[in-house]
């Protein structure tokens, strides 16, 4: 079955057909549970061919990667025959990056003032942007400026 992806300015939806046990909810999905592939023969074939490392770990891996990159975990919606994940844009990071693109000389305080968020939120967003290699600080905190790193270089 094809995966459906819908991209919007502030969110991304990913939907895939599947069959869950009766009465499952998004909360059930997030708890430790037994994984039963809908078609174990196909799952085993994909495993042996190296296309998957195992089955039943996707949600856990998605959540771990979101934490690693400092973005919110997706919201899950379970329907009788499919699952949908919605990833929301990381607003503070997105806003801080836009302000830096407009004026790389602004201090944390000025960035916070400009986007209407606390200095602590801006500090976390800047740290995340530096961590993922999107920006770098050139010079000192007082007289330096931010540079947006093109293509991670």
């Amino acid at each position: 079955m094809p995966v459906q992806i819908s991209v919007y300015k502030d969110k991304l939806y990913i939907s895939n057909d599947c069959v869950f046990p009766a009465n499952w909810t998004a909360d059930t999905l997030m708890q430790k549970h037994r994984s039963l592939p809908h078609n174990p023969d196909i799952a085993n074939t994909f495993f042996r061919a190296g296309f998957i490392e195992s089955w039943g770990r996707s949600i856990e891996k998605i959540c771990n990667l979101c934490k690693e990159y400092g973005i919110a975990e997706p919201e899950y919606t379970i329907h009788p025959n499919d699952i949908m994940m919605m990833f929301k844009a990381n607003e503070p990071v997105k806003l801080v990056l836009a302000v830096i693109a407009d004026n790389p000389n602004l201090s944390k305080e000025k960035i916070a003032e400009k986007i209407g968020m606390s200095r602590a939120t801006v500090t976390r967003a800047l740290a995340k942007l530096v961590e993922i290699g999107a920006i770098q600080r050139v010079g000192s905190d007082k007289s330096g400026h931010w540079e947006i790193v093109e293509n991670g270089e």
Side-chain angles (χ1 to χ4, degrees):
M1 291 292 171
V3 173
Q4 297 178 14
I5 301 173
S6 302
V7 180
Y8 299 90
K9 182 179 179 180
D10 61 342
K11 59 188 161 265
L12 167 77
Y13 286 102
I14 301 174
S15 179
N16 192 39
D17 288 353
C18 60
V19 178
F20 284 106
N23 301 318
W24 266 46
T25 65
D27 289 335
T28 309
L29 183 65
M30 299 308 289
Q31 299 168 2
K32 191 73 177 158
H33 60 273
R34 184 175 164 202
S35 179
L36 294 171
H38 184 66
N39 188 326
D41 292 333
I42 291 175
N44 194 38
T45 301
F46 281 179
F47 172 73
R48 288 175 184 252
F51 295 132
I52 59 173
E53 66 178 59
S54 66
W55 50 87
R57 293 198 51 232
S58 298
I59 300 297
E60 177 185 349
K61 289 173 79 175
I62 289 168
C63 292
N64 288 340
L65 284 169
C66 287
K67 287 176 190 168
E68 182 181 330
Y69 285 97
I71 60 174
E73 292 180 18
E75 295 176 16
Y76 297 90
T77 305
I78 295 178
H79 299 112
N81 295 312
D82 73 276
I83 182 170
M84 183 177 288
M85 297 184 301
M86 180 184 65
F87 292 87
K88 291 183 179 177
N90 191 345
E91 286 302 315
V93 169
K94 189 169 116 179
L95 291 170
V96 167
L97 191 58
V99 169
I100 288 172
D102 188 49
N103 186 348
N105 298 311
L106 292 177
S107 66
K108 291 177 187 178
E109 291 79 12
K110 292 291 182 187
I111 294 171
E113 184 180 306
K114 196 164 184 89
I115 63 176
M117 293 185 178
S118 71
R119 185 178 188 278
T121 298
V122 168
T123 299
R124 284 190 298 275
L126 288 167
K128 181 48 59 184
L129 287 164
V130 168
E131 180 184 328
I132 64 173
I135 63 170
Q136 64 184 9
R137 185 73 181 170
V138 177
S140 70
D141 284 346
K142 285 191 175 192
S143 62
H145 65 276
W146 295 103
E147 269 186 13
I148 295 177
V149 179
E150 298 296 329
N151 299 324
E153 298 172 355

